[in-house]
Amino acid sequence: MTLTAELLSFSPEVAAARAEGRPIVALESTIITHGMPWPQNVETARAVEAEIRGAGAVPATIAVMAGRIHIGLDAAQLEALGQARDVMKLSRADLAACLALGRTGATTVAATMICAGLAGIEVFATGGIGGVHRGAETSFDISADLEEFALTPVTVVAAGAKAILDLPKTLEVLETQGVPVVAFGQDDFPAFWSRSSGLKAPLRMDTAAEIALAHRMRGRLGLAGGQLIANPIPPEAEIPAVEITPFIEKALAEAAAQRIAAKAVTPFLLQRIFELTEGRSLTSNIALVKNNARLGAAIARALVAG
Ligand code: PSU
Ligand code: MN
C-alpha cells in the first residue's frame, strides 16, 4: 500500500479538488485546539474555510485522528476537534508517535507543513508562526516551526509573529536556515497585531504571481524548504502597540512565575492574551487569518495557473 492509502484520509471535497487539479490551501489545527477558545475556534475555522472557497480554492484543514492524517475535515470532525480534550499538540517530534498510538493530535505550523507536503499541497495559510522566544539565550526555546521552513517545501502565509517572541532573533534564525522571509506589499516585517514590527523584511513581493514563481524557482533549483510570506493585518483590525504591549508583558511574567516550559509556553501565552484582552485580540486574530487565507488562495491559484 502506498503511504497515501495507508496514512492519509482526504475529505471528499479535497479528494475531488486533487482529482481535478484545483488549487488547495492547507490549514493548521493547533490554532483551533490550542490557539483560540471554543466556540470561536470552530466558528473561525469554518469562516476561514469559507474565505478560501470564496477566493476560488479548496481548504484542507489538517489533523490526526484515530491513527490517520486527515487532509480536510468535515463539519462533525471539526466540531469534535474544537471541543476535544487531551489533544496532542503536534510538531515534527510528535507526529509519528501520535499516529502510532492512535491518539488525536492538532498540527502546528511545522506538522501541518509536513502533512501538506505528504499530500502534495504547496500552500498553507495560518495566523502566526512559532519563533524564538524572548530569553531564548537562557531557555533555548526556539520553535521547531523555524527549522521546518528549511526542510519542507511549502509556502506559508502568516501575519508575521506575535510580540510574545523575540522578532529580531526570529528573523536571524530564519536567515541562518536559508528561509526566504517575504513581506507582502510592504517593506517591513509585520508583527501580527501590527502591520509593522519596525524591522525590515529581507524580501518583498507585491503579487501572488511573484510568490508562486519564487516557489517554483526554489523547486527548480532543488532547494529544500519553503517560504514564509508575512502578510500584514488589515489596517482596520490593527491593535496599537500601546494597547497590546501591557497584556503581552503580563502574560510573559505569569509564564515565568509559573515556570511554564517547552510545548506549553506558546498555548499558555496565547490563552492568557485572549483572556486579558477579552474580545479585542480575538476579533483582530480572526480578521488576519481570513486575510491570510485569501492570499493563500491567490497563491494556490497562481501555482495551478503557472
Ligand atoms: N502563534 C500564534 N498562534 C498560534 C501558534 C503560534 O500566534 O496558533 C501555534 C501554531 O500552531 C504554531 C505553534 O505552529 O503555536 C508554535 O508552538 P511552539 O512555539 O511551541 O513551537
Ligand atoms: Mn518552544
Side-chain angles (χ1 to χ4, degrees):
M1 255 210 301
T2 64
L3 172 90
T4 306
E6 226 177 290
L7 288 175
L8 302 189
S9 290
F10 293 93
S11 67
E13 184 187 19
V14 174
R18 275 164 57 88
E20 294 159 21
R22 283 192 280 130
I24 303 173
V25 178
L27 297 165
E28 63 158 301
S29 45
T30 295
I31 192 173
I32 301 171
T33 55
H34 296 72
M36 289 184 188
W38 188 83
Q40 289 99 328
N41 59 352
V42 175
E43 288 162 13
T44 302
R46 285 211 186 94
V48 171
E49 290 194 345
E51 208 70 45
I52 290 172
R53 292 187 191 102
V58 170
T61 302
I62 294 178
V64 173
M65 288 179 288
R68 297 184 71 87
I69 299 171
H70 289 262
I71 311 287
L73 304 180
D74 65 27
Q77 289 170 324
L78 198 61
E79 187 65 42
L81 189 71
Q83 295 204 51
R85 289 172 198 274
D86 283 333
V87 179
M88 286 175 77
K89 175 184 159 190
L90 307 179
S91 190
R92 170 172 280 264
D94 323 282
L95 187 59
C98 182
L99 285 161
L101 300 174
R103 291 193 49 190
T104 301
T107 52
T108 60
V109 168
T112 306
M113 288 175 77
I114 295 171
C115 297
L118 291 172
I121 301 172
E122 297 175 289
V123 184
F124 156 32
T126 188
I129 61 158
V132 180
H133 281 263
R134 298 197 201 176
E137 58 276 23
T138 51
S139 69
F140 278 49
D141 190 350
I142 301 176
S143 175
D145 287 355
L146 299 186
E147 181 111 8
E148 202 59 48
F149 277 100
L151 295 171
T152 303
V154 173
T155 285
V156 180
V157 184
K162 283 199 175 89
I164 56 173
L165 302 172
D166 185 322
L167 299 186
K169 286 194 183 74
T170 299
L171 288 176
E172 290 292 351
V173 170
L174 287 165
E175 184 191 282
T176 303
Q177 299 280 357
V179 178
V181 176
V182 180
F184 184 67
Q186 66 180 32
D187 293 329
D188 281 6
F189 184 67
F192 202 86
W193 314 116
S194 322
R195 290 175 64 80
S196 174
S197 61
L199 304 165
K200 206 168 169 299
L203 295 164
R204 168 185 176 153
M205 291 181 198
D206 293 283
T207 65
E210 289 172 342
I211 295 165
L213 277 175
H215 180 100
R216 284 276 175 264
M217 191 61 75
R218 288 181 61 84
R220 286 169 67 189
L221 294 172
L223 294 173
Q227 314 186 95
L228 171 58
I229 310 303
N231 188 27
I233 185 172
E236 64 280 6
E238 255 191 313
I239 302 184
V242 287
E243 248 173 83
I244 197 86
T245 303
F247 297 127
I248 291 173
E249 303 287 349
K250 190 169 191 315
L252 286 166
E254 288 177 6
Q258 296 178 39
R259 300 193 193 285
I260 308 290
K263 301 172 79 69
V265 174
T266 298
F268 177 90
L269 294 172
L270 296 180
Q271 198 194 324
R272 283 304 287 142
I273 291 169
F274 279 130
E275 288 163 3
L276 292 165
T277 61
E278 290 161 358
R280 184 81 206 264
S281 71
L282 193 54
T283 310
S284 293
N285 204 336
I286 293 168
L288 69 84
V289 181
K290 285 185 183 173
N291 190 45
N292 296 341
R294 286 190 293 272
L295 179 56
I299 297 166
R301 289 174 56 191
L303 281 168
V304 166

